[in-house]
Amino acid sequence: MRGSPLKPYRSKTIPRSAAFLLAILALGSPGALNAQAFQCSLPRSVKAPKVEVEEPRRLPVNGYTLALSWSPEFCRFRETERRHTRQCSGREGRFGFTVHGLWPDSGRSWPQWCSRTPMELAALRRNLCISPDAQLVARQWAKHGTCMTRRPETYLKVTRILYGGLQWPDFVHISREDDLTAGTIRTRFADANLGWFPEAVGVHLDGKGWLEELRLCYDRRFMPKACDERRLGAQDGKAAKIWRGL
């Protein structure tokens, strides 16, 4: 790969270290993309989701967030909802962490809705084993991806590369640890991924302490960096629970 395919909004160049990182990740095992999507197969066809575009918010990009939803928690009480059949029914595979979105960050707010370039269905389809909701994928492109690159297939490809480069500790086993905290979750993830450290792993819990999302914080070169307060989520000492969905 020559250079990173992902350019921050209004940026004419991209650091070589980002290109190096993406090239290394692209060399990983193809099976890594499905590490959290057991038995998943791509649908033969995808219908065009409708996305209502809002007012643009164009801001300089100084980093990125890869938001990862813990699917067993998301699917709890949604197993019979038609909108979430692919992700939650169990008929299309069992999912662990799925991609909520790849977001550009300005340090103050999220750049959003930067163009009206439509999603291409062939590109969308390729991401449905890491992000099984077609409507969500289309919205994430329209809301966030358009502030990062001009082409939806580029945004989705980089999302797959970043996701595919991650190693997953056994969260079912982690869920059974005594005195589980948000800090434990951060540490277990960082220990499994070379170059990551706990402060770069955001842990978001619901009001009852159940794990909802990890938010991985990157700098402009796509290297891990410490999360700010809004992305960090729960403090290390916060008691946490992980729904296993079994």
Side-chain angles (χ1 to χ4, degrees):
M1 182 187 301
R2 293 185 180 180
S4 167
L6 185 61
K7 296 181 180 180
Y9 185 76
R10 290 182 178 176
S11 175
K12 295 182 179 180
T13 61
I14 191 160
R16 291 183 179 180
S17 55
F20 175 77
L21 173 65
L22 294 180
I24 291 297
L25 293 178
L27 293 175
S29 168
L33 287 178
N34 290 329
Q36 290 294 106
F38 308 112
Q39 304 170 356
C40 175
S41 59
L42 295 175
R44 293 183 178 181
S45 62
V46 181
K47 295 182 179 179
K50 183 179 179 180
V51 178
E52 295 185 4
V53 177
E54 300 178 16
E55 189 69 21
R57 185 190 301 164
R58 296 184 174 93
L59 299 167
V61 174
N62 64 11
Y64 303 94
T65 301
L66 183 64
L68 301 165
S69 174
W70 179 237
S71 194
E73 176 61 34
F74 175 82
C75 288
R76 186 155 43 151
F77 312 122
R78 289 187 172 97
E79 294 90 343
T80 60
E81 291 185 12
R82 183 174 181 180
R83 159 79 187 275
H84 303 296
T85 295
R86 176 171 172 78
Q87 182 172 357
C88 299
S89 69
R91 296 193 297 270
E92 302 289 339
R94 295 176 54 246
F95 297 89
F97 279 102
T98 59
V99 175
H100 178 171
L102 176 60
W103 307 334
D105 181 50
S106 73
R108 304 187 305 274
S109 184
W110 309 104
Q112 295 178 354
W113 312 107
C114 291
S115 83
R116 293 179 178 268
T117 304
M119 170 60 70
E120 298 178 5
L121 295 185
L124 185 156
R125 175 181 174 274
R126 287 192 286 271
N127 274 50
L128 290 180
C129 273
I130 66 171
S131 191
D133 185 338
Q135 179 70 34
L136 176 64
V137 176
R139 180 175 172 82
Q140 291 298 300
W141 157 249
K143 186 175 182 179
H144 300 290
T146 55
C147 298
M148 298 162 62
T149 182
R150 295 180 179 180
R151 303 172 61 204
E153 62 266 34
T154 300
Y155 171 72
L156 297 177
K157 181 177 181 179
V158 172
T159 301
R160 292 196 304 274
I161 289 172
L162 292 174
Y163 182 92
L166 300 173
Q167 301 296 319
W168 300 101
D170 185 346
F171 274 83
V172 172
H173 177 77
I174 294 170
S175 73
R176 294 189 171 98
E177 291 192 30
D178 294 333
D179 302 318
L180 183 65
T181 64
T184 307
I185 294 171
R186 286 192 176 92
T187 300
R188 298 292 179 268
F189 180 88
D191 287 349
N193 287 274
L194 183 66
W196 284 88
F197 50 96
E199 293 79 9
V201 182
V203 175
H204 286 252
L205 310 175
D206 72 6
K208 296 182 178 180
W210 292 99
L211 175 64
E212 290 186 318
E213 282 196 345
L214 297 182
R215 295 186 181 174
L216 306 184
C217 299
Y218 299 87
D219 63 18
R220 289 188 63 196
R221 301 171 300 150
F222 288 97
M223 301 298 289
K225 76 169 184 179
C227 299
D228 56 30
E229 184 176 356
R230 66 195 170 106
R231 291 184 294 170
L232 186 67
Q235 296 296 312
D236 282 348
K238 179 72 173 178
K241 298 177 287 186
I242 301 175
W243 180 254
R244 295 189 288 273
L246 300 175

